[in-house]
């Protein structure tokens, strides 16, 4: 069977080709200045990122995984310290806790696929020092509940906001609730660079100092070595590209929200699916739809049907939750997360798909269940 149309899950070449002229100008400008490491473009991007999120500080780092680890190192974890995290998240969330010296404790998810505040509250024990919610798929968790728990038990909060730049809960930006957060600029992220990249944001001057030193060989903002550190700097060229992309970010978010509305309108009636919350479903949440992840009956058959009809889909994290990587020492069972991973699938959600493409995807999904 030959598919009549092709809707790839993501189109990496177009991340460059669709904006080639402007990007070539940036390469030429940065290259001609020889401005490769820690130059004004990086400073400007960090200032723009802080202004956009409302955070007091932003530090460009090599990737969000590093950013999360540096944030926890800045907070300070000791062996035996437990940090409660999501299990429906990238392994990077848990690995950042581990490599910073603590122990990740994955817990259950709520109806929207994000960490369940009740499960967080239940997991708190005398070894708990922190909570690390993942602001997944471009949605911010109920941070009021999370912060209430954190205040009640005097816990640190580092947000994994890798997927959530611009997402808000009750008007406040993802990444600005706790001590610090990291954001990813992986090319497929809503704000993507042309390679790896990340940012740490924080409102805390001390955490900023520590992360800054850790990411640049222990040097402070004046270049004085104050402590041990390493190199986890964001490339200046990537920073210049990110500043350029940030200028059209509001439009990008609006487009992604309109794609989500279209999916909702076309697929909302199918009883076999559980869609993510629609853009205006809850005034407390402003979602940016990094991904459009739903739960589907006969998920694997649906995926194959879509593939045969030219539609690319993805099952996040290779189809495994954090706690299911048993070789990493997890023994806990989390039935809701496990059930979720049997049913979850992501449909195309990016700037390269047209409304016609979305209709085509929906036609194929509908045909599968109505056959
Ligand atoms: C939820 C989450 N956390 C952490 C990361 C790690 O980000 P990076 O690839 O920039 O290290 C990602 C990247 O996909 C992610 O989605």
């Amino acid at each position: 069977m030959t598919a009549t149309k092709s809707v790839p899950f993501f189109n990496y070449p177009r991340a460059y080709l669709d904006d080639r002229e402007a990007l070539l100008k940036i390469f030429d400008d940065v290259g001609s200045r020889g401005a490769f490491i820690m130059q004004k473009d990086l400073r400007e991007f960090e200032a723009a990122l802080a202004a956009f999120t409302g955070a007091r500080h932003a530090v460009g780092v090599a990737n969000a995984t590093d950013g999360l680890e540096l944030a926890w190192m800045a907070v300070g974890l000791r062996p035996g310290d437990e940090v409660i995290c999501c299990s429906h998240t990238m392994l990077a969330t848990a690995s950042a806790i581990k490599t910073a010296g603590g122990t990740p404790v994955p817990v259950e998810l709520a109806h929207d696929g994000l960490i369940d505040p009740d499960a967080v509250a239940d997991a708190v024990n005398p070894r708990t020092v922190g909570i690390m919610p993942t602001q997944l798929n471009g949605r911010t968790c109920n941070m009021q509940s999370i912060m209430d728990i954190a205040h009640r038990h005097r816990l640190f909060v580092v947000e994994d906001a890798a997927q959530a730049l611009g997402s808000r809960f009750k008007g406040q930006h993802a990444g600005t609730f706790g001590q610090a957060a990291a954001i990813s600029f992986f090319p497929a992220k809503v704000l993507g660079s042309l390679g790896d990249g990340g940012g740490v944001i924080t409102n805390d001057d001390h955490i900023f100092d520590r992360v800054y030193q850790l990411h640049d060989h222990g040097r402070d903002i004046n270049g004085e070595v104050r402590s041990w550190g390493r190199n986890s700097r964001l490339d200046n060229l990537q920073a210049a590209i990110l500043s350029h992309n940030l200028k059209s970010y509001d439009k990008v978010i609006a487009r992604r929200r309109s794609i989500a509305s279209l999916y909702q309108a076309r697929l909302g009636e199918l009883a076999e699916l559980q869609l993510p919350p629609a853009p205006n479903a809850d005034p407390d949440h402003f979602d940016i739809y990094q991904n459009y992840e739903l739960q589907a009956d006969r998920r694997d058959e649906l995926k194959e049907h879509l593939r045969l009809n030219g539609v690319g889909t993805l099952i996040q994290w290779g189809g495994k939750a954090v706690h299911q990587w048993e070789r990493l020492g997890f023994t806990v069972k989390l039935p809701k997360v496990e059930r979720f991973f049997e049913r979850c699938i992501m449909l195309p959600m990016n700037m390269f798909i047209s409304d016609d493409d979305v209709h085509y995807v929906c036609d194929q999904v509908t045909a599968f269940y109505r056959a």
Side-chain angles (χ1 to χ4, degrees):
M1 177 171 59
T2 317
T4 54
K5 201 172 167 64
S6 163
V7 186
F9 182 73
F10 191 78
N11 190 328
Y12 284 95
R14 283 188 64 181
Y16 170 62
L17 294 172
D18 282 17
D19 201 17
R20 189 161 178 261
E21 230 173 276
L23 290 167
L24 285 174
K25 273 196 193 130
I26 294 171
F27 300 159
D28 195 46
D29 171 43
V30 171
S32 305
R33 284 187 279 121
F36 302 117
I37 307 288
M38 293 189 105
Q39 297 299 305
K40 80 172 173 65
D41 311 86
L42 176 58
R43 295 291 161 254
E44 284 168 7
F45 174 63
E46 288 170 335
L49 181 61
F52 180 79
T53 55
R56 204 168 144 77
H57 305 284
V59 184
V61 291
N63 52 70
T65 309
D66 273 12
L68 294 169
E69 181 187 350
L70 298 188
W72 278 116
M73 287 170 77
V75 166
L77 293 178
R78 289 162 308 182
D81 284 351
E82 290 186 0
V83 177
I84 299 166
C85 64
C86 216
S87 192
H88 177 213
T89 185
M90 192 183 181
L91 199 47
T93 316
S95 71
I97 298 165
K98 187 76 185 173
T99 51
T103 303
V105 177
V107 298
E108 281 286 15
L109 45 69
H111 68 93
D112 57 2
L114 276 67
I115 198 166
D116 180 358
D118 291 337
V120 173
D122 289 348
V124 174
N125 70 71
R127 293 179 301 280
T128 311
V129 301
I131 308 171
M132 191 178 197
T134 297
Q135 315 298 20
L136 197 72
N137 294 334
R139 180 177 175 86
T140 308
C141 319
N142 181 336
M143 287 307 292
Q144 198 172 336
S145 307
I146 300 284
M147 294 313 293
D148 282 351
I149 299 166
H151 291 142
R152 209 175 321 132
H153 299 280
R154 299 169 155 266
L155 305 175
F156 297 108
V157 173
V158 171
E159 293 165 66
D160 181 341
Q163 297 193 353
L165 178 63
S167 165
R168 304 194 284 275
F169 176 73
K170 294 199 170 179
Q172 188 174 340
H173 276 259
T176 63
F177 292 87
Q179 272 65 44
I183 296 159
S184 174
F185 307 124
F186 184 87
K189 291 292 187 269
V190 182
L191 185 71
S193 53
L194 296 182
D196 273 314
V200 173
I201 56 175
T202 179
N203 289 321
D204 182 314
D205 295 347
H206 171 72
I207 299 280
F208 166 69
D209 268 351
R210 289 293 304 129
V211 169
Y212 193 94
Q213 290 168 35
L214 285 162
H215 99 301
D216 186 33
H217 304 294
R219 291 188 281 237
D220 66 14
I221 51 165
N222 301 313
E224 285 290 315
V225 173
R226 302 258 171 217
S227 56
W228 291 106
R230 68 188 199 208
N231 177 357
S232 180
R233 301 180 298 231
L234 176 63
D235 280 358
N236 195 67
L237 177 60
Q238 298 297 353
I241 294 165
L242 289 163
S243 284
H244 166 72
N245 289 346
L246 190 57
K247 287 188 191 118
S248 48
Y249 201 62
D250 288 337
K251 266 195 226 144
V252 171
I253 294 176
R255 170 67 188 149
R256 296 178 89 103
R257 287 170 60 82
S258 97
I259 294 172
S261 296
L262 200 45
Y263 276 133
Q264 175 70 39
R266 289 289 319 271
L267 302 176
E269 299 294 306
L270 286 178
E272 293 88 346
L273 302 179
Q274 187 182 332
L275 302 182
N280 296 315
D282 179 344
D284 284 349
H285 291 269
F286 181 84
D287 300 350
I288 62 151
Y289 295 93
Q290 165 63 55
N291 303 306
Y292 196 79
E293 184 175 50
L294 45 101
Q295 295 174 70
D297 289 359
R298 295 159 56 211
R299 189 266 318 266
D300 294 340
E301 284 171 63
L302 172 65
K303 184 172 172 53
E304 180 58 8
H305 170 83
L306 292 175
R307 189 187 70 76
L308 291 172
N309 286 283
V311 177
T313 59
L314 189 76
I315 296 174
Q316 215 161 192
W317 331 125
K320 268 192 176 196
V322 165
H323 76 282
Q324 291 177 311
W325 297 101
E326 286 163 6
R327 282 191 187 157
L328 299 180
F330 296 109
T331 51
V332 68
K333 295 270 175 263
L334 300 171
K336 286 189 207 160
V337 178
E338 285 153 29
R339 174 91 180 117
F340 188 96
F341 271 85
E342 286 163 12
R343 292 171 49 79
C344 61
I345 184 166
M346 303 198 308
L347 299 180
M349 164 59 79
N350 58 66
M351 293 304 282
F352 314 126
I353 53 172
S354 63
D355 283 4
D356 276 356
D357 292 335
V358 179
H359 281 297
Y360 177 76
V361 174
C362 295
D363 289 344
Q364 296 309 321
V365 173
T366 308
F368 172 74
Y369 287 115
R370 293 289 169 263

